[in-house]
Amino acid sequence: MTVSTGDTRTGPVAKTGPAPGRARPPWWTSRRRDQLAGYLFVAPQLVGSIVFVILPLVLVVWYSLHEWNVLAGTFNYVGGDNYAQLAEDTNLGGVLKATGLFSVGLVVFNLGLALLLAVLLNQKLRGTIVFRTLFFSPVVVSLVAWTIVWGFLLQDNGGINGLLDTIGVDGPNWLRGEGTAMLSVVVVQVFKNVGLNMVLFLAALQGVPGELYEAAEVDGASRMRQFWRITVPLISPTIMLTSIITVVGSLQVFAQIAVLTQGGPGTSTTVLVYYLYQQAFQFHHFGYGATLSIVLFAIVLALTVLQWQMRKKWVFHES
């Protein structure tokens, strides 16, 4: 007696597959189109970063391992000799000192004056728009033109000393004095860029809620206490931003030194960027100049990372 299982198929079992009439999903989907559009949008920036940032950094490291004499047409591998020369360079200590003095002076005067101007211009007074324009206008003026004009004003018989003569003061030779050359360069740079930080501080001040000041007045807090306990903490992110921008900019100053003092008198205003230029393009030591540029890059990177790490201690809302 046989039992029927209900399966009457006698041939091989057919393979399962897509139902008739159902096509495979297309490869060129909307998601892939969006991805391609994103890549195309970032491609110019990516190519620019590779060509103008990453590739020059790699080449600078490569050049620092060589001695390149353009006049003789030689390009010889010297290994770490250029780096060993850093320890033997008697001028490098004075150059780093001048760089530090310029950076500290610029940061202190620029940020201090910018914050003071922003606080004054944040008051509801008549004519503040005119003063904002006057203080910001040097930012958009050509750097070389601005420096040349100040070079004439700071000469021994220039406009600054002419004004001092009217009140019976014999002014010094600002750009040729050991004690006044660096101060003159710092002042010129401060007046050039203080308007930018002023606008940033002004925008931050206008974002501070007025209710906090009203509550502080009810509690009897003075204006100075309100400034240190309310204003400074709330604008601390802007203070960090402006400090990073100003520090990095101070380490990259070149045109002011080249036009005003040419690094003099002596090497009192020879900052690292100008010393790099002298070694590479005046003395034709391109390998050593590339080594100095790596030193500059390391200093800028270290200071930027240090400031960024310190944000947790002195920037409000950071943890």
Side-chain angles (χ1 to χ4, degrees):
M1 181 176 179
T2 60
V3 179
S4 175
T5 61
D7 188 359
T8 59
R9 291 178 300 174
T10 58
V13 179
K15 295 182 178 180
T16 59
R22 179 182 296 179
R24 291 184 177 182
W27 181 84
W28 186 244
T29 61
S30 60
R31 180 179 180 182
R32 286 193 170 93
R33 286 198 299 269
D34 293 340
Q35 290 176 344
L36 178 61
Y39 290 139
L40 291 178
F41 275 116
V42 302
Q45 178 69 23
L46 180 62
V47 172
S49 299
I50 294 174
V51 174
F52 297 107
V53 178
I54 299 177
L55 182 59
L57 286 175
V58 174
L59 291 177
V60 164
V61 175
W62 176 250
Y63 291 150
S64 68
L65 302 176
H66 295 76
E67 183 55 45
W68 185 8
N69 191 324
V70 178
L71 299 178
T74 59
F75 188 73
N76 301 319
Y77 178 78
V78 295
D81 290 352
N82 288 322
Y83 293 92
Q85 188 178 346
L86 292 172
E88 302 173 358
D89 192 346
T90 58
N91 295 323
L92 186 58
V95 169
L96 294 177
K97 179 182 177 181
T99 304
L101 288 175
F102 180 84
S103 298
V104 171
L106 183 63
V107 171
V108 172
F109 287 113
N110 193 319
L111 295 185
L113 182 59
L115 184 56
L116 176 62
L117 292 174
V119 171
L120 294 177
L121 293 177
N122 194 40
Q123 308 301 317
K124 296 180 179 179
L125 302 175
R126 297 179 60 183
T128 55
I129 297 178
V130 177
F131 283 102
R132 292 178 193 176
T133 305
L134 291 176
F135 285 119
F136 187 77
S137 57
V139 177
V140 298
V141 175
S142 169
L143 176 60
V144 176
W146 173 267
T147 308
I148 291 175
V149 170
W150 273 97
F152 284 112
L153 293 175
L154 293 171
Q155 287 180 358
D156 191 19
N157 56 350
I160 302 296
N161 285 343
L163 291 176
L164 294 177
D165 285 338
T166 60
I167 58 175
V169 177
D170 186 14
N173 192 345
W174 297 97
L175 299 177
R176 295 296 178 263
E178 288 283 348
T180 58
M182 179 61 75
L183 178 61
S184 300
V185 177
V186 170
V187 169
V188 171
Q189 183 67 5
V190 167
F191 286 162
K192 176 68 173 66
N193 291 328
V194 70
L196 178 60
N197 288 338
M198 178 198 71
V199 170
L200 295 176
F201 282 135
L202 187 59
L205 290 172
Q206 292 177 348
V208 178
E211 296 83 359
L212 297 178
Y213 295 112
E214 296 174 0
E217 290 180 359
V218 172
D219 292 338
S222 62
R223 287 292 185 91
M224 186 60 65
R225 192 171 183 84
Q226 293 178 29
F227 177 77
W228 288 109
R229 295 295 184 178
I230 299 176
T231 305
V232 172
L234 291 181
I235 68 171
S236 57
T238 305
I239 295 176
M240 185 194 71
L241 171 64
T242 54
S243 64
I244 292 177
I245 294 174
T246 307
V247 168
V248 173
S250 68
L251 294 172
Q252 297 176 346
V253 63
F254 172 78
Q256 297 86 335
I257 302 296
V259 174
L260 292 175
T261 63
Q262 295 79 47
T267 58
S268 60
T269 60
T270 303
V271 294
L272 188 55
V273 174
Y274 191 75
Y275 188 61
L276 185 160
Y277 161 78
Q278 286 180 321
Q279 292 293 326
F281 298 101
Q282 289 185 354
F283 307 145
H284 302 289
H285 299 156
F286 287 97
Y288 189 57
T291 305
L292 291 173
S293 67
I294 293 177
V295 173
L296 176 62
F297 173 78
I299 293 174
V300 172
L301 179 62
L303 290 177
T304 304
V305 172
L306 177 62
Q307 288 178 291
W308 184 251
Q309 292 298 324
M310 289 177 61
R311 79 190 191 280
K312 297 180 180 180
K313 295 183 178 180
W314 57 280
V315 174
F316 191 65
H317 286 320
E318 289 285 347
S319 57

